[in-house]
Amino acid sequence: MTNISELELQNLRHLIGGFDTTHCKMKEYASCAQDAKVKQFFEKGAQSAQENKQTLMKFLQ
C-alpha cells in the first residue's frame, strides 16, 4: 500500500463519516416510510452508502 498524506487521511475520515451518517439516516427514513417504493428507495440508498463506506475503509488497511 502506498503511504497517504495527513490531508488524504483527513479527507478519507470526512468521507467515511459522511457515508456512515447517510447510511444511518437512510435506514431511519426507510423504517418510517409507508409507501413500498419510497421504502425501497431509501433502503437502496442506505445500502449504497454502506458499500461506499466499506470501499473507502479498504484504503486504511
Side-chain angles (χ1 to χ4, degrees):
M1 178 176 115
T2 306
N3 290 333
I4 60 175
S5 70
E6 185 175 337
L7 178 60
E8 291 168 326
L9 183 61
Q10 289 174 354
N11 286 337
L12 276 174
R13 183 180 58 92
H14 178 75
L15 288 168
I16 289 167
F19 280 123
D20 191 45
T21 300
T22 300
H23 170 75
C24 292
K25 286 183 176 185
M26 292 284 186
K27 294 261 309 171
E28 179 62 24
Y29 297 155
S31 72
C32 295
Q34 301 295 321
D35 184 87
K37 287 185 179 184
V38 173
K39 185 177 192 79
Q40 183 181 24
F41 172 81
F42 285 122
E43 287 173 344
K44 284 183 179 181
Q47 180 64 33
S48 177
Q50 182 68 17
E51 290 169 1
N52 290 334
K53 177 186 168 190
Q54 290 172 346
T55 299
L56 289 173
M57 292 289 287
K58 290 178 184 176
F59 287 101
L60 300 176
Q61 295 177 349

